[in-house]
Amino acid sequence: MATKFKSARVGKDSNLMEEIEKLPENLKYFWRTSQFHQFLRAFIHILSDPPNLTATKRRADYTQDIIQILPFLSELGKSFDWKVHRLIRMCYELCDDGCTELLQSLARSSNKYVINILWTGTTRELLSYYIDPYQFITWCLNFSCVPDVLRNAIDEQTLNVSFVFDSDLKRSALEFMDKLFIYPLDLEILKFLKLPGVYFIYYVGETELYIGSQVSPSTYNPVYVGKSKNNIGDRLRDHYQKIEAAKNLHLTDFVVRFMILNNEFQPPIIEKMLIELFCPVWNRESEVQFSFGNANSETNTWNKFHIQVDEETIKTMLEKLRIG
């Protein structure tokens, strides 16, 4: 029943209602009648057989047509039809050779598409019929990692705030989170992040992070919220190395969002607010006693659990996680 319900919601995003009117007539018809295979095949035809693009104006119009269609691919990330995902990959492959503006739109589309894949969960099972889902997700996220695209995205992901009241700042930060790209934990990306900000690490593996706990794959609830007053890249590099050193974790099971901020005073305030809101498991220093931020110490519980793989610590912590 849940699968049918989610499938029924594909194509119903209210944000696309006005955009439908801008589509070519055949695509408009296919979308409104939920003929998504035909919609994607028609888009592939447009990409495979572009008009004569010698005139600058004609090239610009063609690029804009493609950009207007790309958000619809993101919406189809909610589909449980593996053939839809195979066709989407073909679309993205054909788009991956354009101007900077097109590449930026491609990055936005593919990033939102991945978020929708991860949100539906069981879509991965369908993807696995023809491709390694993790490899596919990483491939999609790589569009967001192109240097020119990443530089532009950093500007877009800078939260400019001048609020006095904490409630305004919290609301603004939460609303802004929905606009943030997700990225793989990748050392190349971190070179661009020599800036103050707050970041969010998410677990997106196939199963619960801890057996018997409620720490499930999610791009909404982070497992860790952190901050830096001057260089979030350095902090994330440290976290990358800890997860890489863990004996029972995989880097490919984690993605990250980052929120760039105006100055060094805002990150601690926003970090504290969002930790209180999300209660991330790796920020819990009381009942669960995971302190990921300080996990370089051999006496640290996270270190004992994941790097040293201490059996007594694992047994104790799993019990606490089941209770918590």
Side-chain angles (χ1 to χ4, degrees):
M1 183 65 70
T3 298
K4 290 182 179 179
F5 173 75
K6 286 184 179 178
S7 294
R9 298 303 304 164
V10 176
K12 306 299 183 183
D13 187 343
S14 59
N15 293 326
L16 293 176
M17 293 306 167
E18 291 185 9
E19 300 304 314
I20 293 174
E21 297 303 321
K22 302 175 185 178
L23 293 173
E25 287 302 320
N26 60 335
L27 292 182
K28 190 187 302 183
Y29 172 77
F30 291 143
W31 189 266
R32 283 177 168 165
T33 55
S34 299
Q35 297 183 60
F36 300 129
H37 290 184
Q38 291 87 334
F39 177 92
L40 292 166
R41 289 193 182 101
F43 187 31
I44 288 169
H45 177 72
I46 293 172
L47 293 167
S48 303
D49 188 24
N52 186 333
L53 300 178
T54 53
T56 303
K57 179 65 167 64
R58 192 173 298 165
R59 179 178 292 276
D61 289 344
Y62 174 73
T63 299
Q64 285 305 312
D65 288 343
I66 301 304
I67 289 172
Q68 287 175 355
I69 298 170
L70 283 172
F72 292 86
L73 272 60
S74 310
E75 172 68 7
L76 292 177
K78 301 173 185 176
S79 173
F80 284 78
D81 183 345
W82 68 270
K83 292 181 181 178
V84 163
H85 296 280
R86 185 171 61 182
L87 290 168
I88 288 173
R89 173 155 189 162
M90 293 173 66
C91 293
Y92 282 146
E93 286 175 338
L94 289 167
C95 287
D96 187 21
D97 187 22
C99 63
T100 301
E101 184 182 10
L102 178 57
L103 289 176
Q104 289 170 350
S105 296
L106 175 60
R108 291 189 192 95
S109 174
S110 58
N111 210 278
K112 181 64 174 176
Y113 169 68
V114 168
I115 290 171
N116 283 335
I117 286 177
L118 295 172
W119 174 76
T120 54
T122 51
T123 306
R124 293 180 179 200
E125 297 173 13
L126 297 168
L127 287 172
S128 65
Y129 285 124
Y130 78 103
I131 195 168
D132 178 347
Y134 292 98
Q135 185 183 51
F136 182 47
I137 287 170
T138 300
W139 179 82
C140 289
L141 290 180
N142 281 339
F143 290 122
S144 306
C145 303
V146 175
D148 286 345
V149 172
L150 185 56
R151 290 188 189 96
N152 184 72
I154 287 174
D155 290 337
E156 292 181 358
Q157 294 175 103
T158 299
L159 177 61
N160 297 305
V161 292
S162 56
F163 302 118
V164 176
F165 300 107
D166 286 355
S167 58
D168 291 333
L169 185 58
K170 182 177 181 180
R171 183 178 66 252
S172 181
L174 279 173
E175 291 173 352
F176 197 67
M177 281 184 71
D178 287 339
K179 302 176 183 178
L180 302 179
F181 279 13
I182 59 172
Y183 293 94
L185 267 176
D186 187 302
L187 290 178
E188 288 300 311
I189 295 171
L190 306 185
K191 295 177 182 177
F192 292 86
L193 301 180
K194 298 178 181 180
L195 298 159
V198 177
Y199 54 88
F200 315 89
I201 297 176
Y202 300 86
Y203 170 71
V204 294
E206 288 189 276
T207 60
E208 295 171 337
L209 180 55
Y210 301 107
I211 298 171
S213 74
Q214 295 182 349
V215 186
S216 301
S218 174
T219 53
Y220 178 76
N221 292 305
V223 294
Y224 185 74
V225 175
K227 59 94 174 52
S228 174
K229 294 182 179 181
N230 48 44
N231 190 332
I232 58 176
D234 279 352
R235 291 291 293 153
L236 284 168
R237 186 174 293 103
D238 176 63
H239 299 332
Y240 172 99
Q241 291 168 348
K242 284 183 286 196
I243 295 174
E244 185 180 41
K247 304 293 193 302
N248 45 21
L249 297 175
H250 301 283
L251 278 167
T252 53
D253 286 344
F254 296 89
V255 294
V256 62
R257 280 187 170 106
F258 51 83
M259 182 187 297
I260 308 302
L261 294 164
N262 292 344
N263 56 58
E264 64 181 26
F265 304 108
Q266 293 167 350
I269 299 171
I270 293 180
E271 179 201 39
K272 183 175 183 294
M273 288 177 175
L274 296 180
I275 287 175
E276 290 175 352
L277 175 67
F278 291 111
C279 298
V281 65
W282 288 357
N283 287 98
R284 298 182 196 173
E285 298 183 8
S286 54
E287 75 279 8
V288 177
Q289 297 176 336
F290 268 146
S291 182
F292 180 58
N294 302 317
N296 289 321
S297 168
E298 291 185 358
T299 61
N300 174 275
T301 305
W302 191 97
N303 189 303
K304 287 182 177 181
F305 190 108
H306 289 294
I307 296 178
Q308 300 174 50
V309 196
D310 178 73
E311 291 185 7
E312 189 60 36
T313 300
I314 291 173
K315 180 180 177 181
T316 301
M317 294 307 296
L318 287 178
E319 184 62 32
K320 288 184 177 182
L321 285 162
R322 277 192 286 270
I323 295 171

